[in-house]
Amino acid sequence: MAKTLGMLADLIEGAEVIGSRDTEINDIEHDSRKATPGTLFACIVGAHVDGHEFIPQAREKGAVAIITDNENAPMPAGMDVLLVPQLSEALKVIVPYFYDYPAQKMRVIGITGTNGKTSISYMIRAMLRKMGFRVGLIGTIQIMIEDQVLPVHNTTPDVVELQHTMAMMLEKNMDYVVMEVSSHALDQNRVAGVEFDTAVFTNLTQDHLDYHKTFENYRLAKAKLFDMVGSSQAVKNGKTAVVNLDDEAGEFMLQHASCRKLTYGINTDALLKAENIQVLADGTKFDIRHKFGVLPLDLKITGIFNVYNVMAAVGAAMTEGVPLPVIKAAMEEFSGVPGRFELVRGGQDFAVIVDYAHTPDGLENVINTARKICKKRIITVFGCGGDRDRTKRPIMGRIAARLSDIIIATSDNPRTEDPAFILSQVEAGVEEACGDKQHEAIIDRRDAIFRAVGLAKAGDIVVIAGKGHEDYQILKDKTIHFDDKEVAMEAIKAKMGE
C-alpha cells in the first residue's frame, strides 16, 4: 500500500514537493494523535483548530511529511512538505488512490434521505449476514466490521477517515459495506473515491436548511448519490437505484439515476408495494407485492414509517440477489435499532419510548405511531438543537401540540445558542396549536424527562424524542454524558419508589 511522496504529488496539478520525492508514505492522518512512523500529516484548518499547530506532535509520533496548501506554513525540520493548491480537493484525489480504492473491491450500498437511514442500514446488514456475507456498516450510531464496533463522530466520516475505514474493512475481508450517506457528505464530496453499487432514497423533509439554505439545494445534494451510482466510470457491474415513489422527491432521484431502478411505496404504483398493512402494538404485518408474487411479513417492529424502511431494505437486498426466503427469515427476526422507537421497560404500567426523531416529519411519524398503540394519553418530551435550522422549531412545536395530550418542550443539544431562546421559538409553535392542552417548557432535559414520567398514568405513553441513541448532550462550553434511556429508567424507578 505504501506510496512515495512524489507519486502523490503527481496526482495533483500544481503540486510541489519540498524535500525528497522518494520519501515513503505508509499512512495519511489529520489527527496528530493517530500518526505513526511514515505518516503524511494533513494540516487541515478547521473552524476551531489549525492543523499546522500540531505538526510537532505528529513528527514526534513518526510522521515524515506534511500536506498543506499554505505556502507560508512553517517548514518542519526533518519533514518533507507536499504543497498543493487546495488541500481539501487534493485529499479527495490522493486519499482514495493511497488506499488503492477499497470501495471498488467490495459491494457498497449507500442510503440517503431525511429519515430512516439508520434503521434501513441495520436491516440490510441483517439480510446480507443471513445470506452468509461479511458486512461492514458505517452509520450514525457506530461503525461495525462484522461484530467489531468502532465509535463514529460524523454521520458520514470525512474522506481521510472514510477511506481508512474502508481499507480496514477490505483488509478484514468484508464482502459488503452498508453506509448512511448524509447530504453534508454528498455536498462536501466526503465520499470521493467511493463506488456505490446500490443507492437507496428514503424521503425528503425539512432538515439541515441551516446548511443548505434552500430545500432545492438539499434535494440536489441528496441526488448526488444517484449521479454517482449511475457513473459511467464504474469498475463494478450491477448498479441499482432503490427509490421511495410515495415521496415527492422520488421522481427527482430517479431522473438522476442512469442505472436500473427499483421503486417502492404504499400509495403509488411502485414495483414493490405494501398491502394489507396491520400496525400493532408489538409489531407490524403486511405483504410486499412484487413482480415475482407476494412476500408476507410478520415483523417485531411497528409503525408505518417502518413499513417504508423495510421496503427500502428489502429492495436493496433483492437487487443484491438475496433470495426471498432469506429476506423473510432475516426481517422476521429483526428486533430494531438502538434509539429508534425503543421501549424503556422498568416494570411500569405506562410505556416510555425513546426515539431519534429530530425533524418535523420524524416527530410526526413517531407520535402517530404511538397514537395507534396508545390506550390513554401521549406525553411528548422534545427539543430542537442549537446552531441548526431555526425554521423547524415552531413547526415541531405545532406538530407536538397537535398530536400529543401533554407537551413538554426542553433542550436537545443547545450548543452555543441560549437554550431559553431555542425554547421560546419551539413554544411559539406549541402555543399556536395546543388549545387548552397542558404544556410546559423545562430547559433542563433531565428535569423534563422526570416531569413527563411523573405525570404518566396507567395506559399512557411517554415519547422522548430528539436524541435516541446519543449518550451525550452538547452545551455551550462542554459536552456532558446524557442518555435519554438511562434518565428515563431513573425516573421510572424513582416514581415506583425503588
Side-chain angles (χ1 to χ4, degrees):
M1 189 179 286
K3 310 286 194 295
T4 66
L5 205 55
M7 290 165 71
L8 302 182
D10 290 344
L11 299 171
I12 308 298
E13 190 176 339
E16 177 188 356
V17 175
I18 303 167
S20 172
R21 285 177 54 88
D22 296 327
T23 297
E24 195 169 276
I25 303 301
N26 298 320
D27 196 11
I28 301 175
E29 278 294 350
H30 54 50
D31 183 339
S32 60
R33 295 167 297 186
K34 295 180 182 176
T36 55
T39 290
L40 172 65
F41 178 60
C43 300
I44 295 173
V45 179
H48 307 292
V49 178
D50 182 346
H52 296 90
E53 296 173 9
F54 297 92
I55 293 170
Q57 289 93 318
R59 185 178 58 196
E60 246 177 62
K61 293 271 192 176
V64 292
I66 67 166
I67 178 171
T68 180
D69 55 11
N70 181 357
E71 292 179 10
N72 303 313
M75 297 302 157
M79 294 178 80
D80 299 314
V81 178
L82 176 51
L83 185 62
V84 293
Q86 217 282 323
L87 180 58
S88 63
E89 293 306 307
L91 289 173
K92 290 167 192 172
V93 175
I94 286 172
V95 179
Y97 166 80
F98 176 80
Y99 286 113
D100 297 322
Y101 303 99
Q104 292 182 352
K105 301 174 180 74
M106 302 174 285
R107 297 288 293 177
V108 182
I109 300 173
I111 304 132
T112 199
T114 307
N115 301 311
K117 295 186 293 294
T118 300
S119 294
I120 293 165
S121 67
Y122 276 72
M123 292 173 187
I124 294 171
R125 173 180 178 267
M127 287 182 278
L128 291 172
R129 292 187 81 193
K130 190 78 171 172
M131 189 66 187
F133 291 117
R134 293 172 63 81
V135 183
L137 181 141
I138 301 172
T140 308
I141 300 176
Q142 58 200 8
I143 291 168
M144 300 180 79
I145 303 177
E146 279 289 88
D147 291 319
Q148 181 190 358
V149 177
L150 306 171
V152 67
H153 305 293
N154 294 309
T155 308
T156 310
D158 62 46
V159 68
V160 176
E161 293 169 346
L162 179 57
Q163 293 295 328
H164 180 264
T165 300
M166 287 196 151
M168 199 189 324
M169 289 179 171
L170 181 62
E171 195 179 308
K172 297 197 175 183
N173 301 312
M174 295 303 108
D175 302 300
Y176 276 88
V177 177
V178 181
M179 65 181 292
E180 298 180 45
V181 189
S182 69
S183 57
H184 291 70
L186 289 161
D187 188 61
Q188 295 166 13
N189 204 17
R190 291 187 219 155
V191 288
V194 176
E195 184 185 320
F196 291 97
D197 298 293
T198 294
V200 178
F201 171 69
T202 66
N203 52 39
L204 202 67
T205 62
Q206 183 169 341
D207 198 18
H208 303 306
L209 295 193
D210 54 306
Y211 174 84
H212 295 289
K213 306 305 179 192
T214 68
F215 195 76
E216 180 59 19
N217 289 344
Y218 182 38
R219 187 172 72 150
L220 280 166
K222 294 290 190 189
K224 285 182 182 178
L225 179 62
F226 298 90
D227 294 328
M228 291 177 76
V229 82
S231 169
S232 59
Q233 296 170 19
V235 172
K236 296 172 284 180
N237 296 319
K239 309 295 184 182
T240 310
V242 179
V243 172
N244 178 3
L245 205 57
D246 282 3
D247 190 276
E248 284 181 19
E251 286 289 354
F252 186 76
M253 302 302 157
L254 290 172
Q255 289 163 19
H256 280 257
S258 53
C259 61
R260 186 173 57 165
K261 301 171 178 71
L262 178 63
T263 57
Y264 65 93
I266 297 172
N267 306 313
T268 48
D269 193 21
L271 293 172
L272 298 183
K273 187 166 185 177
E275 298 176 340
N276 306 318
I277 301 167
Q278 299 175 62
V279 177
L280 310 167
D282 57 352
T284 310
K285 294 180 182 179
F286 67 99
D287 298 329
I288 298 180
R289 183 169 295 282
H290 52 90
K291 67 179 180 180
F292 305 110
V294 175
L295 175 66
L297 293 172
D298 185 354
L299 307 174
K300 296 175 183 174
I301 52 177
T302 191
I304 284 290
F305 63 92
N306 269 323
V307 174
Y308 281 102
N309 292 343
V310 168
M311 282 198 292
V314 167
M318 288 173 73
T319 66
E320 292 296 331
V322 180
L324 294 178
V326 176
I327 288 173
K328 180 177 173 67
M331 289 314 307
E332 292 189 344
E333 287 171 8
F334 187 79
S335 58
V337 178
R340 304 308 194 270
F341 211 79
E342 186 174 359
L343 282 165
V344 181
R345 295 182 171 94
Q348 75 278 17
D349 57 5
F350 54 91
V352 176
I353 293 163
V354 169
D355 194 273
Y356 188 55
H358 60 285
T359 64
D361 181 59
L363 187 64
E364 186 165 7
N365 281 337
V366 167
I367 302 175
N368 276 335
T369 299
R371 178 61 69 193
K372 286 187 172 72
I373 60 177
C374 187
K375 298 185 178 75
K376 299 287 180 65
R377 305 173 303 168
I378 289 179
I379 304 167
T380 300
V381 182
F382 77 106
C384 292
D387 301 336
R388 297 293 186 268
D389 180 9
R390 294 183 175 188
T391 62
K392 71 181 182 183
R393 293 170 187 172
I395 298 170
M396 290 179 67
R398 283 193 292 273
I399 288 168
R402 180 166 51 83
L403 300 177
S404 313
D405 300 293
I406 298 174
I407 308 98
I408 300 176
T410 188
S411 292
D412 192 290
N413 292 318
R415 300 183 177 87
T416 65
E417 280 195 79
D418 177 4
F421 173 71
I422 298 172
L423 271 188
S424 70
Q425 294 193 310
V426 173
E427 274 285 287
V430 172
E431 288 170 0
E432 273 182 45
C434 72
D436 60 358
K437 292 177 185 174
Q438 181 177 345
H439 68 99
E440 301 176 27
I442 302 172
I443 289 176
D444 185 282
R445 191 172 180 92
R446 179 184 175 83
D447 290 347
I449 291 171
F450 266 74
R451 174 65 172 154
V453 169
L455 289 169
K457 296 176 180 174
D460 289 346
I461 293 181
V462 176
V463 174
I464 305 170
K467 291 177 63 57
H469 64 279
E470 293 178 356
D471 61 0
Y472 57 85
Q473 189 175 28
I474 307 170
L475 309 177
K476 186 170 188 175
D477 55 349
K478 60 185 174 182
T479 298
I480 62 169
H481 176 78
F482 195 98
D483 185 319
D484 281 353
K485 298 190 292 290
E486 285 178 12
V487 175
M489 186 61 82
E490 285 176 39
I492 291 165
K493 286 181 176 176
K495 184 182 177 80
M496 296 174 70
E498 291 181 17

